Amino acid sequence: AGRRMARLTQRVLARLEALEVPVIAAVNGPAYGGGAEVACACDIRIAAESASFSFRQIQMGIMPAWGATYRLPRLVGRSRALDLLLTGRTISAREALDIGFVDRVVPSGKALGAALELAKAIAASPPLSVRMIKQAVLGGRDAPAEAGQVLEAGLFGLLWGSEDHDEAVRAFFAKRPPRWRGR
């Protein structure tokens, strides 16, 4: 039953991670165990000063099962991941920022607002570019450099020939904001 639950949740978080659009976590308080694992699957993590994180599974005689053993080392490095996973210790939002687990720390109670502000800024960008950048980052994450560069060049080529790129050039010379169409 534990294996089935783990595999099901792994698939859910893999789908979250694979969404074409960026997924932003807004953490205003404790994110322990599964909550910290969900944060790992997000593209960007914003934490309130009052937030804290812990992979407490070891203290319950189990281990992370939703992808943290895979994702956390890629975020914070192997030895830091092992430190957090093997001790279950709690880290503050500031320490999480220092080690690269979260991307921004904001005043308490402001994480959701900051996440929405960031989402609006991203949404104002050309939608094809946003999707292609995320695809390149995810696709090249574990690939050899040459494969990552081939992927990046291929996606760039698609964007170079897009209507949005043509619109950006026209808007630049007309000194007006571009009107993105997602094509």
Side-chain angles (χ1 to χ4, degrees), residues 25-33 35-37 39-40 45-48 50-56 84 88-97 101-102 104-105:
V27 183
N28 273 311
Y32 297 164
E37 290 205 62
C40 279
R45 286 158 298 284
I46 297 176
S50 57
S52 56
F53 301 88
S54 177
F55 296 88
R56 293 191 172 190
L84 296 173
R89 72 184 179 88
T90 300
I91 60 172
S92 68
R94 289 285 167 202
E95 184 177 354
L97 178 67
F101 183 66
V102 301
R104 296 183 190 179
V105 174

Side-chain angles (χ1 to χ4, degrees), residues 62-105:
I62 57 174
M63 62 178 282
W66 299 352
T69 61
Y70 170 81
R71 292 182 182 101
L72 188 62
R74 286 161 174 77
L75 293 170
V76 303
R78 183 180 146 279
S79 62
R80 283 189 177 127
L82 283 169
D83 170 18
L84 296 173
L85 296 171
L86 293 173
T87 65
R89 72 184 179 88
T90 300
I91 60 172
S92 68
R94 289 285 167 202
E95 184 177 354
L97 178 67
D98 290 344
I99 66 172
F101 183 66
V102 301
D103 304 291
R104 296 183 190 179
V105 174

